Amino acid sequence: MAKKKAPAGTPAIAALTSARAEFTVHAYEHDPAHPSYGEEAAQAMGVSPDRVFKTLVAEVDGVLTVAVVPVSGSLDLKALATAVAGKRAAMADPALAERTTGYVRGGISPLGQRKRLRTVVDESAAAHTTICVSAGRRGLEVELPPATLTALTDATLAPIGRS
């Protein structure tokens, strides 16, 4: 896997480049009518939905928390709360998630966020050599080893996804 820059950089790509991480950028034409950003990305790249991970922002006991789960499943909010020693979790208000991360919905990356949030990655990521996550805008993904993602986001691996 070679280091590559996207024609138009994003904070996520800048963070990966700055860290001298190995990653691959995948760009595709985003269809605004597609019902699922993650499934669209998997189809466009020809990658199994188990290897493409979506970035969701939730509130756990009032604290914004990033959850990274496979697009083939969904986030288990109770498991997310447990993973960060919290009691209650709920999805964050989309406008608050966008303001806090600096990204738009459907393009939120776990990398290069405006404000670094605690992050939990579903443990299934560890089963893959590489996974894909948003590179910071719709139609742009980065492929990288799960260990790189967890190291750069200081993430915890936990069973937070469900099929």
Side-chain angles (χ1 to χ4, degrees):
M1 190 168 23
K3 261 195 277 190
K4 292 184 185 175
K5 283 189 181 179
T10 65
I13 292 171
L16 288 164
T17 302
S18 173
R20 299 177 191 250
E22 289 200 16
F23 64 96
T24 303
V25 176
H26 297 278
Y28 59 92
E29 195 63 39
H30 166 62
D31 175 6
H34 201 286
S36 166
Y37 298 116
E39 288 176 14
E40 176 190 29
Q43 290 169 359
M45 295 185 302
V47 175
S48 166
D50 293 339
R51 281 190 46 229
V52 179
F53 283 65
K54 56 190 168 187
T55 306
L56 303 171
V57 181
E59 283 192 58
V60 180
D61 298 336
V63 177
L64 290 178
T65 304
V66 172
V68 183
V69 297
V71 302
S72 59
S74 60
L75 172 61
D76 181 335
L77 287 165
K78 266 189 183 182
L80 177 64
T82 299
V84 295
K87 289 183 171 62
R88 288 178 89 184
M91 294 306 297
D93 173 67
L96 177 61
E98 288 180 346
R99 268 194 320 275
T100 305
T101 64
Y103 294 117
V104 298
R105 203 172 118 229
I108 294 178
S109 177
L111 300 155
Q113 295 178 353
R114 182 177 292 149
K115 179 181 178 191
R116 190 173 186 162
L117 301 174
R118 72 180 166 190
T119 302
V120 182
V121 176
D122 185 64
E123 66 183 4
S124 67
H128 305 286
T129 305
T130 61
I131 60 171
C132 298
V133 296
S134 175
R137 73 170 191 251
R138 297 170 188 154
L140 196 64
E141 296 276 313
V142 289
E143 181 178 355
L144 71 169
T148 300
L149 177 64
T150 57
L152 293 178
T153 59
D154 196 26
T156 303
L157 278 176
I160 60 167
R162 58 177 170 210
S163 303

